[in-house]
Amino acid sequence: MVKIVTRKYIGKQNVYDIGVEHDHNFVIKNGLIAANCFNKSHSTAYGYITYQTAYLKANYPLEYMAALLTANSGDIDKVQRYITNCTNMGIQIEPPDINRSGVDFTPTAKKILFGFSAVRNVGQNAIACILEARNETGEFKSLADFCDRVDLRAVNRRTLESLIYCGAFDKIEANRQQLIQDLELVYDWAQSRAKDRASGQGNLFDLLGGFSSNQNKRANNAFETAPKAKPVIDFPPQEKLRREKELLGFYVSDHPLKSLSQIAPLLTPINLSQLGEQREETKLCAVVMLNGVKKVVTKKGDSMAILQIEDLTTQSEAVVFPKTYERISLLLQVDTRLIIWGKVDRRDEQTQFIVEDAEPVETVQMVMVELNPQQAGNIEELHRLKTILQEQSGDKEKAKMPVIGIIQTENSRKLVRLGWQFCVQDSRITVQALQNARFLAHVKLLTSG
């Protein structure tokens, strides 16, 4: 639970300052940490802090993780790692809520609620204004009610858009695009009402609703008279998540890869958090979101790329060398879901994924071969199947389409992914060859369910 964060040099000795982290360990030996002149008083103090934090995590996990997220809210990598820890601990992270969120991450009902301070474009003045209005006159009932009650000089249009895009108004109106369209009209309406109140004037609707010149009061249900835009359909799920990540730094309400969690294991992918455990030169596969592409020109003038990728477990870096980049560069679009194939490389104590091929999740195909129990137990039938697949593998470096065996019985249906050596180069030609050999086979898209 202690992490070395800085290094100092005193003579020939390395002396380390340390900072407490919840997921690191150390050993105190003879009053020293790693025999680097760390005296007993410091060792004892940090050992005691380590014990305290371990106790809190074990006995008050919700409060502990909420505090940890708040303390590291400016570090996206750490926050994502801690959110993953929360998921593994069975703690759900909820997106911001205009009627429930506070300044920081807040434990509530066995969940942790996202705080306003971690939302981009939402400043301290805006947060204070929102909380004050909510505390004075209760929950906000609509976007118009919200705009009518807060000070729009502190909560400007950009702040409102950010709150809508990150999902803070979802409990009031789940259609985020409708809220954005309404905002164009509601914001001007609310500003006009604020000017009227400032000058001591009301309008006809306020008079009918019992308008008071007292600025701390509002006409009952006056927000119901606010203008509304024409009905529109909501943003596509991927667009909602993209904007959410722009403002929060990571996906909270959902994740683009979560819908693949049931079917993707058929490709036997690794989690990026397991990258450091993989052996070099082993063929690997991963299902990732592409977060960033940095194009690099080599000394020879060839183009390559450094990719920022993530999956449901962590973020990482991947390298695409010139020959591969020339072949797949058009696929490398930010916010794309990709299947990447390659191997691990360790250099300068850093682990990287070396990409040798990639394909959008939506176009990945699998060869499905249906076998009855008799075929699955017949050595001759299995040998025939093996021979056909080996003939269709072609260039082993290019053979990446997986073959899935479906063993069908009266009461069950079992899917078995055949090994890497049985991957094929062209799924449709392979299916035709299998059908010609009287095997039941067909092509299936990974995302078709």
Side-chain angles (χ1 to χ4, degrees), residues 350-384:
Q350 186 177 11
T351 302
Q352 295 177 319
F353 195 111
I354 305 301
V355 179
E356 296 175 341
D357 209 345
E359 188 168 346
V361 164
E362 291 75 17
T363 63
V364 173
Q365 296 178 331
M366 301 179 292
V367 175
M368 314 296 287
V369 184
E370 298 187 30
L371 302 171
N372 58 45
Q374 290 73 29
Q375 286 178 305
N378 188 308
I379 295 179
E380 291 182 0
E381 284 292 280
L382 294 179
H383 181 73
R384 280 203 315 127

Side-chain angles (χ1 to χ4, degrees), residues 214-420:
N214 187 337
Q215 291 188 12
N216 291 325
K217 297 180 181 179
R218 298 289 185 269
N220 294 330
N221 300 329
F223 61 87
E224 294 180 357
T225 67
K228 274 186 162 292
K230 293 181 179 179
V232 294
I233 60 173
D234 201 357
F235 295 114
Q238 297 297 322
E239 174 69 7
K240 291 175 74 170
L241 290 174
R242 183 186 68 79
R243 291 182 179 274
E244 185 176 296
K245 187 178 181 183
E246 283 180 2
L247 295 163
L248 304 180
F250 36 84
Y251 305 106
V252 177
S253 64
D254 201 355
H255 194 287
L257 299 180
K258 196 172 290 185
S259 61
L260 302 173
S261 58
Q262 297 297 319
I263 191 69
L266 290 174
L267 302 176
T268 61
I270 63 162
N271 293 328
L272 293 180
S273 60
Q274 302 169 328
L275 197 59
E277 305 167 12
Q278 308 304 312
R279 291 182 299 176
E280 293 187 40
E281 302 304 321
T282 301
K283 189 173 182 179
L284 304 173
C285 168
V287 183
V288 303
M289 280 295 296
L290 182 55
N291 293 336
V293 181
K294 181 182 178 182
K295 187 177 178 181
V296 178
V297 179
T298 67
K299 292 180 179 179
K300 294 182 180 181
D302 299 323
S303 295
M304 58 177 289
I306 308 296
L307 310 181
Q308 299 301 320
I309 57 177
E310 76 167 83
D311 63 6
L312 293 172
T313 63
T314 190
Q315 296 182 353
S316 187
E317 190 174 83
V319 179
V320 185
F321 287 122
K323 286 185 179 179
T324 305
Y325 182 78
E326 184 178 357
R327 189 173 71 254
I328 70 170
S329 59
L330 295 178
L331 302 178
L332 303 180
Q333 304 295 324
V334 174
D335 295 321
T336 300
R337 298 187 298 176
L338 293 175
I339 308 291
I340 56 175
W341 291 268
K343 58 187 178 183
V344 68
D345 177 67
R346 294 181 178 87
R347 191 171 302 176
D348 299 328
E349 298 183 359
Q350 186 177 11
T351 302
Q352 295 177 319
F353 195 111
I354 305 301
V355 179
E356 296 175 341
D357 209 345
E359 188 168 346
V361 164
E362 291 75 17
T363 63
V364 173
Q365 296 178 331
M366 301 179 292
V367 175
M368 314 296 287
V369 184
E370 298 187 30
L371 302 171
N372 58 45
Q374 290 73 29
Q375 286 178 305
N378 188 308
I379 295 179
E380 291 182 0
E381 284 292 280
L382 294 179
H383 181 73
R384 280 203 315 127
L385 176 60
K386 176 181 176 181
T387 301
I388 294 171
L389 296 178
Q390 287 177 334
E391 290 173 352
Q392 296 300 321
S393 64
D395 185 342
K396 289 292 184 183
E397 295 299 319
K398 296 180 181 179
K400 61 182 182 180
M401 299 300 175
V403 178
I404 312 297
I406 306 174
I407 302 175
Q408 186 75 47
T409 65
E410 290 183 3
N411 302 318
S412 66
R413 185 172 183 265
K414 187 176 182 181
L415 301 182
V416 179
R417 186 200 185 282
L418 305 189
W420 280 110

